[in-house]
Amino acid sequence: MSDFRQAFIQFAIERNVLCFGEFKTKAGRMSPYFFNAGLFNDGDSLRKLGQFYAKAIMAAQLPFDMLFGPAYKGIPLVSTIAIALAEMGHNYPFCFNRKEAKDHGEGGVLVGAPLAGRVLIADDVISAGTSVRESVELIHASGATPCGVVIALDRMERGSGQLSAVQEVKKMHDLPVISIIDLNDLVEYLQDKNELDQHLCAVERYREQYGAGFFNQNHE
């Protein structure tokens, strides 16, 4: 596992974004861990979060021309990612959308740079894939091309069928999905941390029960 992935897990634990215990998911499953990116809710956390996203993007070596953040969570994400990339010497334009069209001023649903070229979508996680689908539609409607999605965590678990939410997005939209970490990274991290050993078996059992081909999934 890359150093920045280990550092991100530690960072998420320190900010209580990643917690261990018993948590009921939207699918009704009892998960041994919970990830809430909304708790990266201060300036320093957001700055560091953008740096981790930027490192994952650069590690993936995916060509793109600009960034897009779907409202609402994608708005601060795309902003901090753009800043982090600029600090690394890669200055990209970015854009985000409004939930409702503005009928005065500049109008429309898009804010920021015009959507053009290859567009990388930034979000926190992929659950039902609704945000990605709406983003893809907006990008196509603007004459641009969606080229990938970057998220913080890939839970790598089955949805309603045999595929995970990330796999469904890959299949439906033919898009690569980059994640800072995935469930395999979390298991590997726990294996190396004696103080968290009590959570390892529960997470491994959950992965075995609900994982969507987890041994064959890799970071893009």
Side-chain angles (χ1 to χ4, degrees):
M1 177 169 44
S2 301
D3 288 344
F4 77 83
R5 302 190 196 281
Q6 292 191 42
F8 178 72
I9 295 173
Q10 183 64 39
F11 170 57
I13 291 172
E14 290 171 354
R15 295 298 195 275
N16 293 316
V17 169
L18 176 60
C19 300
F20 300 98
E22 289 189 348
F23 307 93
K24 192 170 184 178
T25 69
K26 290 181 180 179
R29 299 168 180 168
M30 293 305 298
S31 172
Y33 72 98
F34 182 68
F35 184 87
N36 180 10
L39 294 178
F40 290 126
N41 56 12
D42 59 49
D44 187 55
S45 294
L46 189 61
R47 176 181 63 85
K48 291 178 180 176
L49 179 61
Q51 292 171 348
F52 282 115
Y53 267 94
K55 288 175 182 177
I57 292 169
M58 290 294 99
Q61 298 183 331
L62 177 69
F64 67 100
D65 301 306
M66 68 175 297
L67 296 155
F68 176 79
Y72 289 101
K73 289 183 179 179
I75 296 174
L77 281 178
V78 76
S79 304
T80 192
I81 294 168
I83 292 170
L85 286 169
E87 289 176 341
M88 295 169 66
H90 307 282
N91 189 29
Y92 289 96
F94 71 94
C95 175
F96 56 85
N97 68 302
R98 300 184 178 94
K99 287 288 188 179
E100 297 180 0
K102 186 177 180 183
D103 59 5
H104 60 281
E106 74 277 17
V109 297
L110 299 176
V111 181
L115 284 171
R118 300 164 297 183
V119 184
L120 179 61
I121 301 165
D123 214 339
D124 58 345
V125 295
I126 294 176
S127 298
T130 304
S131 176
V132 173
R133 187 189 72 249
E134 293 174 349
S135 299
V136 166
E137 291 172 355
L138 272 172
I139 293 166
H140 279 310
S142 298
T145 303
C147 68
V149 185
V150 58
I151 57 175
L153 168 69
D154 177 2
R155 290 181 61 92
M156 302 177 73
E157 64 182 74
R158 298 191 307 275
S160 55
Q162 292 302 307
L163 298 179
S164 70
V166 166
Q167 288 173 328
E168 287 172 352
V169 164
K170 289 179 179 179
K171 182 178 179 181
M172 181 178 297
H173 303 291
D174 192 25
L175 291 175
V177 178
I178 303 164
S179 62
I180 303 175
I181 59 167
D182 61 26
L183 184 55
N184 287 344
D185 294 323
L186 181 56
V187 169
E188 185 177 339
Y189 181 88
L190 293 174
Q191 289 170 341
D192 292 334
K193 300 294 180 182
N194 292 334
E195 67 273 20
L196 296 173
D197 188 59
Q198 71 270 26
H199 303 299
L200 174 60
C201 289
V203 174
E204 286 185 321
R205 282 197 303 269
Y206 189 80
R207 181 176 69 168
E208 290 167 4
Q209 185 173 2
Y210 298 114
F214 59 85
F215 288 117
N216 297 319
Q217 292 194 60
N218 296 301
H219 294 286
E220 293 293 339

